[in-house]
């Protein structure tokens, strides 16, 4: 019995960490749900309530848990480690009385066969993190850890190494590219001199071997760290910040929903208290910046722009606060609301104005998608509807235009070590942004990329792929959203994809239902939740931050929308958003190699950065842009 209880606790905790993906449900719909319950959403709603009760017993969650904190010394500063970065100590090894240069090859195997397998401060499964002797201090990423790794791609010195943001950093006719950390780098040699993180062949020199025992933690500041896409460095689990953040955000939205779905004021108290502890509390609340998010460890450890991705869960937090506000619970007090607004405004200032904070906005891949999602949600939180709408519009008129080609493939996600996951991951952000658009009164579901594709095109393509060893369940919420928004085809492709998961017995074995209908995410994706009637959208409860009162404010103009029957502002209603994304070629310069035949991200470069140390090369994905004679689908597409 004890073992069963322990296993149940572990599974519950693990499920809580995973939770649901980033999503948004209309707060007004959620608050009014119990007045018009939907039988098909009954079990999903119940799953949310059960998870809320479980997490209520585990919290509150806080940034100050654990014993490893940010280099700043402030326990409230968020700290996480870049998950795909590993130490490459490259120690010199003694052979008799002479030191022999020992070079670590990025494929994961040491080039010196005599010393292959010597680990540097590595923690194998079941081994403690006690100090290692010098004889064990070798290359921390050894063949014992990874049997298969990526083959490094070499770059000629004539190739330009630029981040995707370079194409869009200026809008005048003279090219002045801002690469954030360094001047414009036109050759590999210049990149090396300037300290660029562009990929290149490693030197054959080695580092002097320590003369005494060295604790594994010393690796964090002694050895340089390098990116290995798809290979998670599990020592990041020594930190509590990320898990506490994920558990807090999931518990907050679950309990906010449970307060209205279960008509339980205690759940509202839990959500409000957990919000207070994690964000507002003077001694335990998270600092309103991410200077140490996804830190790249090494001799000069520093936070990275990738850390902004960790706080994508703020979309859930804002969703929860909107529900608490509209439900008028006494537990979400005026005082708490004002303090949360102060935190949000401080974080927004960092997100929009610091070099580290705003860097993801111009990334080519999911980093940009999730950046715009959390930014729009925060604008909603502080009552800046116009600002939120502009952010949603800026995404769909900017980064989105390059993210899906005509076949439905996502070029900047397709070359990752886990491509199915990353395609679904980016679609998760796109769908959340489209739902935020709905909430703000603009439909983005049928917005097309430069290659005449929509969110639907990408979902349709995704479900035709062989995922290999990857988990295809990540696609289920996306397919459910597509079915709700676009409807199904005559072959019921979406419904069959969902029903392929099988059935499950509920109500003490008396009833069988489709498994997907028992998942918490289904509450967000069932048709009534996504496709709200026109009458329900004529007015919506909007929180007036100035008066701290709930008011009814019209959000939609008269007219018709192809999906919900309400009008949507056209993209060109916002001329200030018709920006440099539409004409990136204006940045061409006689001093730089240009490729006007390529898509905008590759006009000036052969390599685009996806994450620090991880690149996609034009040679890898150029075939995705080859058009068929009809100009509608890529030649290679499997349709």
């Amino acid at each position: 019995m004890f073992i069963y209880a322990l296993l149940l606790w572990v599974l519950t905790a693990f499920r809580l960490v995973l939770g649901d993906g980033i999503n948004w449900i209309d707060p007004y719909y959620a608050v009014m749900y119990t007045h018009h319950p939907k039988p098909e959403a009954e079990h999903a709603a119940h799953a949310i309530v059960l998870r809320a009760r479980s997490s209520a017993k585990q919290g509150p969650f806080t940034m100050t848990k654990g014993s490893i904190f940010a280099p700043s010394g402030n326990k409230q500063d968020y700290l996480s480690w870049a998950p795909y970065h590993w130490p490459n100590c490259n120690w010199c090894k003694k052979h008799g009385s002479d030191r022999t240069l020992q070079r670590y090859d990025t494929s994961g195997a040491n080039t010196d066969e005599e010393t292959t397998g010597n680990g540097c401060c590595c923690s194998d499964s079941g081994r403690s993190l006690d100090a290692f002797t010098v004889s064990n201090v070798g290359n921390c990423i050894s063949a014992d850890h990874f049997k298969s790794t990526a083959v490094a791609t070499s770059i000629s010195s004539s190739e330009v190494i630029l981040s995707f943001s370079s194409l869009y950093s200026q809008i005048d006719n003279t090219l002045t590219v801002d690469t954030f950390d360094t001047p414009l780098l036109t050759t590999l040699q210049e990149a090396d001199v300037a300290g660029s993180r562009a990929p290149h062949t490693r030197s054959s020199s080695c580092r002097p071997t320590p003369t005494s025992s060295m604790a594994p933690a010393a690796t964090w500041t002694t050895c340089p760290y390098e990116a290995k896409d798809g290979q998670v460095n599990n020592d990041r689990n020594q930190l509590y910040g990320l898990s506490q953040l994920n558990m807090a955000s999931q518990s907050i939205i679950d309990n906010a929903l449970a307060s209205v779905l279960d008509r339980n004021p205690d759940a509202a108290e839990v959500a409000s208290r957990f919000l207070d502890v994690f964000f507002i509390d003077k001694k335990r609340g998270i600092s309103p910046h991410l200077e140490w998010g996804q830190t790249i460890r090494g001799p000069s450890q520093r936070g990275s722009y990738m850390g902004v991705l960790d706080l994508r869960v703020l979309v859930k937090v804002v969703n929860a606060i909107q529900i608490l506000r509209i439900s008028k619970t006494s537990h979400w007090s005026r005082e708490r609301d004002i303090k949360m607004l102060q935190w949000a405004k401080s974080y927004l200032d960092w997100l929009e104005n610091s070099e580290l904070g705003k860097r993801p906005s111009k990334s080519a891949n999911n980093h940009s998608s999730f950046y715009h999602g959390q930014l729009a949600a925060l604008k909603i939180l502080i009552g800046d509807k116009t600002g939120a709408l502009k952010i949603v519009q800026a995404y769909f008129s900017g980064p989105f235009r390059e993210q899906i080609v005509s076949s439905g493939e996502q070029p900047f996600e397709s070359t990752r070590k886990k491509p199915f996951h990353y395609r679904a991951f980016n679609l998760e952000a796109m769908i959340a942004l489209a739902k935020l658009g709905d909430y703000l009164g603009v439909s983005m579901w049928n917005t097309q990329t430069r290659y005449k594709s929509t969110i639907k095109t990408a979902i349709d393509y995704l479900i035709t792929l062989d995922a290999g060893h990857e988990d295809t369940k990540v696609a289920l919420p996306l397919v459910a959203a597509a079915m709700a928004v676009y409807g199904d085809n005559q072959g019921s492709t979406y419904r069959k994809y969902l029903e392929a998961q099988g059935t499950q017995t509920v109500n003490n074995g008396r009833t069988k239902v489709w498994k997907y209908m028992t998942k918490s995410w289904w509450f967000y994706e069932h048709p009534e939740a996504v496709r709200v009637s026109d009458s329900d959208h004529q007015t919506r409860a909007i929180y007036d931050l100035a008066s701290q009162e709930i008011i009814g404010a019209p959000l939609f103009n008269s007219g018709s929308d192809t999906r919900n029957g309400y009008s949507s502002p056209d993209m060109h209603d916002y001329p200030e958003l018709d920006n440099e994304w539409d004409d990136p070629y204006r940045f061409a310069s006689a001093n730089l190699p240009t490729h006007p035949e390529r898509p905008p991200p590759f006009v000036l470069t052969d390599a685009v950065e996806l994450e620090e140390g991880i690149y996609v090369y034009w040679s890898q994905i150029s075939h995705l842009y080859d058009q068929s004679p009809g100009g509608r689908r890529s030649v290679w597409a499997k349709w």
Side-chain angles (χ1 to χ4, degrees), residues 7-27:
L7 179 61
L8 181 62
W9 182 88
V10 170
L11 290 174
T12 301
F14 184 65
R15 179 181 64 175
L16 184 60
V17 172
L18 292 180
D20 295 323
I22 303 308
N23 213 331
W24 178 271
I25 192 165
D26 187 322

Side-chain angles (χ1 to χ4, degrees), residues 208-514:
T209 306
T211 57
S212 60
S213 296
M214 180 177 170
T219 308
W220 305 344
T221 55
T222 302
C223 299
Y225 275 64
E226 296 181 345
K228 284 183 169 289
D229 189 25
Q231 299 174 358
V232 177
N233 189 336
N234 287 324
D235 77 347
R236 70 173 187 153
N237 293 329
Q238 297 179 61
L239 304 180
Y240 284 89
L242 182 61
S243 63
Q244 291 287 294
L245 171 64
N246 288 338
M247 289 190 289
S249 60
Q250 190 63 60
S251 182
I252 288 166
I253 182 60
D254 283 345
N255 278 280
L257 282 169
S259 70
V260 293
L261 298 179
D262 203 30
R263 299 187 180 184
N264 181 6
D266 291 341
E269 188 278 330
V270 170
S272 302
R273 177 162 48 89
F274 285 10
L275 275 162
D276 196 316
V277 171
F278 199 87
F279 291 97
I280 300 172
D281 190 276
K282 290 183 178 180
K283 294 183 178 180
R284 295 178 290 178
I286 183 175
S287 300
H289 65 76
L290 295 174
E291 291 293 338
W292 299 103
Q294 294 207 21
T295 291
I296 308 290
R297 288 171 284 175
S300 58
Q301 61 178 326
R302 56 180 173 74
S304 71
Y305 69 85
M306 301 179 297
V308 174
L309 189 67
D310 291 357
L311 248 67
R312 64 189 183 277
V313 295
L314 282 176
V315 174
K316 298 180 181 181
V317 172
V318 174
N319 207 173
I321 293 174
Q322 291 296 89
I323 292 170
L324 294 173
R325 287 170 165 176
I326 293 171
S327 65
K328 300 183 181 181
T329 175
S330 61
H331 296 292
W332 186 247
S333 65
R334 172 187 174 89
E335 180 183 4
R336 279 176 166 166
D337 197 271
I338 291 173
K339 289 180 178 179
M340 188 67 205
L341 289 177
Q342 292 171 344
W343 185 94
K345 289 177 180 178
S346 295
Y347 177 65
L348 269 170
D349 180 64
W350 181 86
L351 198 62
E352 294 184 288
N353 298 313
S354 72
E355 289 301 311
L356 204 60
K358 65 185 179 181
R359 168 61 178 82
S361 67
K362 296 178 180 179
S363 294
N365 60 344
N366 61 79
H367 285 272
S368 179
S369 307
F370 281 108
Y371 173 89
H372 284 86
Q374 68 168 285
L375 190 59
L378 287 164
K379 295 285 187 180
I380 290 172
L381 179 65
I382 66 172
D384 184 5
K385 176 195 166 187
T386 301
L389 187 57
K390 285 183 177 180
I391 295 300
V392 172
Q393 293 279 9
Y395 169 73
F396 282 101
S397 64
F400 176 76
R401 285 170 56 79
E402 300 300 331
Q403 289 183 337
I404 310 172
V405 295
S406 59
S407 66
E409 178 62 284
Q410 299 176 64
F412 300 103
E413 312 297 342
S414 64
T415 62
R416 302 302 295 267
K417 285 297 185 65
K418 298 178 180 178
F420 192 90
H421 161 79
Y422 274 103
R423 292 180 183 106
F425 191 51
N426 196 34
L427 277 166
E428 178 184 307
M430 292 177 184
I431 287 172
L433 275 157
K435 288 183 176 182
L436 287 169
D438 280 343
Y439 182 64
L440 294 164
V442 55
S443 176
M444 308 306 301
W445 295 100
N446 293 312
T447 300
Q448 294 185 343
T449 66
R450 190 183 301 275
Y451 313 100
K452 309 302 180 184
S453 293
T454 65
I455 292 174
K456 181 182 187 300
T457 315
I459 294 173
D460 289 349
Y461 175 76
L462 179 70
I463 62 178
T464 67
L465 296 176
D466 179 1
H469 297 294
E470 295 189 65
D471 184 7
T472 59
K473 290 185 177 66
V474 295
L476 295 175
L478 314 177
V479 173
M483 186 168 67
V485 174
Y486 303 107
D488 216 339
N489 58 22
Q490 289 185 347
S492 302
T493 300
Y494 295 148
R495 179 178 59 80
K496 289 178 180 178
Y497 191 90
L498 294 171
E499 291 178 354
Q501 301 299 313
T503 60
Q504 180 174 325
T505 57
V506 295
N507 299 330
N508 295 322
R510 295 192 301 271
T511 309
K512 274 190 177 182
V513 297
W514 295 109

Side-chain angles (χ1 to χ4, degrees), residues 65-302:
K65 184 177 181 179
S67 58
I68 304 173
F69 301 104
S72 62
N74 185 347
K75 293 183 178 182
Q76 293 173 259
D77 285 353
Y78 177 77
L79 173 66
S80 65
W81 289 331
Y84 297 147
H85 281 69
W86 292 80
N88 181 15
C89 298
N90 201 32
W91 301 119
C92 299
K93 176 109 177 144
K94 279 188 176 181
H95 289 283
S97 59
D98 298 324
R99 288 185 183 274
T100 303
L101 289 181
Q102 177 180 305
R103 175 180 170 274
Y104 174 74
D105 183 80
T106 54
S107 67
N110 198 302
T111 56
D112 185 345
E113 292 183 0
E114 294 182 24
T115 57
T116 299
N118 287 338
C120 162
C121 317
C122 292
S123 173
D124 295 330
S125 177
R127 297 179 66 180
S128 67
L129 289 174
D130 296 329
F132 279 56
T133 61
V134 174
S135 63
N136 286 328
V137 181
N139 297 299
C140 211
I141 316 172
S142 67
D144 294 332
H145 283 268
F146 302 110
K147 301 299 182 184
S148 61
T149 53
V151 177
T153 304
S154 61
I155 307 175
S156 67
S157 60
S158 63
E159 291 179 328
V160 183
I161 308 302
L162 299 174
S163 71
F164 182 64
S165 62
S166 301
L167 295 175
Y168 309 106
S169 57
Q170 303 290 333
I171 59 172
D172 54 31
N173 291 326
T174 303
L175 177 65
T176 52
V177 184
D178 177 14
T179 54
F180 302 97
D181 296 322
T182 60
L184 178 65
L185 308 175
T186 57
T187 68
L188 188 60
Q189 287 81 4
E190 288 179 70
D192 286 337
V193 171
S196 168
R197 300 177 198 101
H200 57 277
T201 303
R202 174 163 292 282
S203 166
S204 61
S205 62
C206 60
R207 300 171 62 84
T209 306
T211 57
S212 60
S213 296
M214 180 177 170
T219 308
W220 305 344
T221 55
T222 302
C223 299
Y225 275 64
E226 296 181 345
K228 284 183 169 289
D229 189 25
Q231 299 174 358
V232 177
N233 189 336
N234 287 324
D235 77 347
R236 70 173 187 153
N237 293 329
Q238 297 179 61
L239 304 180
Y240 284 89
L242 182 61
S243 63
Q244 291 287 294
L245 171 64
N246 288 338
M247 289 190 289
S249 60
Q250 190 63 60
S251 182
I252 288 166
I253 182 60
D254 283 345
N255 278 280
L257 282 169
S259 70
V260 293
L261 298 179
D262 203 30
R263 299 187 180 184
N264 181 6
D266 291 341
E269 188 278 330
V270 170
S272 302
R273 177 162 48 89
F274 285 10
L275 275 162
D276 196 316
V277 171
F278 199 87
F279 291 97
I280 300 172
D281 190 276
K282 290 183 178 180
K283 294 183 178 180
R284 295 178 290 178
I286 183 175
S287 300
H289 65 76
L290 295 174
E291 291 293 338
W292 299 103
Q294 294 207 21
T295 291
I296 308 290
R297 288 171 284 175
S300 58
Q301 61 178 326
R302 56 180 173 74

Side-chain angles (χ1 to χ4, degrees), residues 32-49:
M32 298 300 295
Y33 174 80
T34 54
H35 297 283
H36 308 282
K38 311 300 177 185
E40 67 274 16
E42 172 189 353
H43 303 295
H46 186 59
I48 291 173
V49 171

